[in-house]
């Protein structure tokens, strides 16, 4: 069974955060609007990266990143995460 225990919309930063419970396991689902074929503003991306990093540190497990269009957003996201970790 799947239960959504929390849903927060951040309209200003075009983000949604959901906490889901699936078969007694908690899943954090973070979503950021990032239009096909366009970049994303640094002031939107950095807080998103930091939120993902904080969740990774807080909860052991796997991180899944995906985009729907195949325009390189997933690779861009991972590259930014790696750079942020190297600069820390």
């Amino acid at each position: 069974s799947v239960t959504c225990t929390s849903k927060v919309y951040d309209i200003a930063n075009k983000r949604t955060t959901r906490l889901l419970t699936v078969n007694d396991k908690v899943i954090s689902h973070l979503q950021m609007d990032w239009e096909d074929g366009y970049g994303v503003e640094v002031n939107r991306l950095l807080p998103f990266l930091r939120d993902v990093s904080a969740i990774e540190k807080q909860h052991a497990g796997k991180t899944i990143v995906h985009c729907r269009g195949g325009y390189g957003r997933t690779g861009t996201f991972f590259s930014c995460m790696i750079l942020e970790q190297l600069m820390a």
Side-chain angles (χ1 to χ4, degrees), residues 3-65:
T3 306
C4 184
T5 55
S6 173
K7 189 179 212 178
V8 177
Y9 295 107
D10 181 349
I11 294 171
N13 290 308
K14 301 178 183 177
R15 291 177 46 184
T16 305
T17 303
R18 294 175 185 86
L19 291 179
L20 306 167
T21 303
V22 180
N23 298 330
D24 299 324
K25 295 185 180 187
V26 176
I27 296 173
S28 301
H29 178 260
L30 287 74
Q31 178 179 341
M32 180 176 68
D33 290 347
W34 186 342
E35 292 185 46
D36 289 349
Y38 294 92
V40 65
E41 299 87 4
V42 173
N43 62 339
R44 286 184 50 224
L45 183 59
L46 286 178
F48 189 77
L49 287 169
R50 290 183 183 127
D51 288 349
V52 171
S53 294
I55 289 170
E56 285 182 328
K57 289 175 186 170
Q58 205 173 28
H59 304 286
K62 311 243 182 304
T63 300
I64 299 170
V65 176

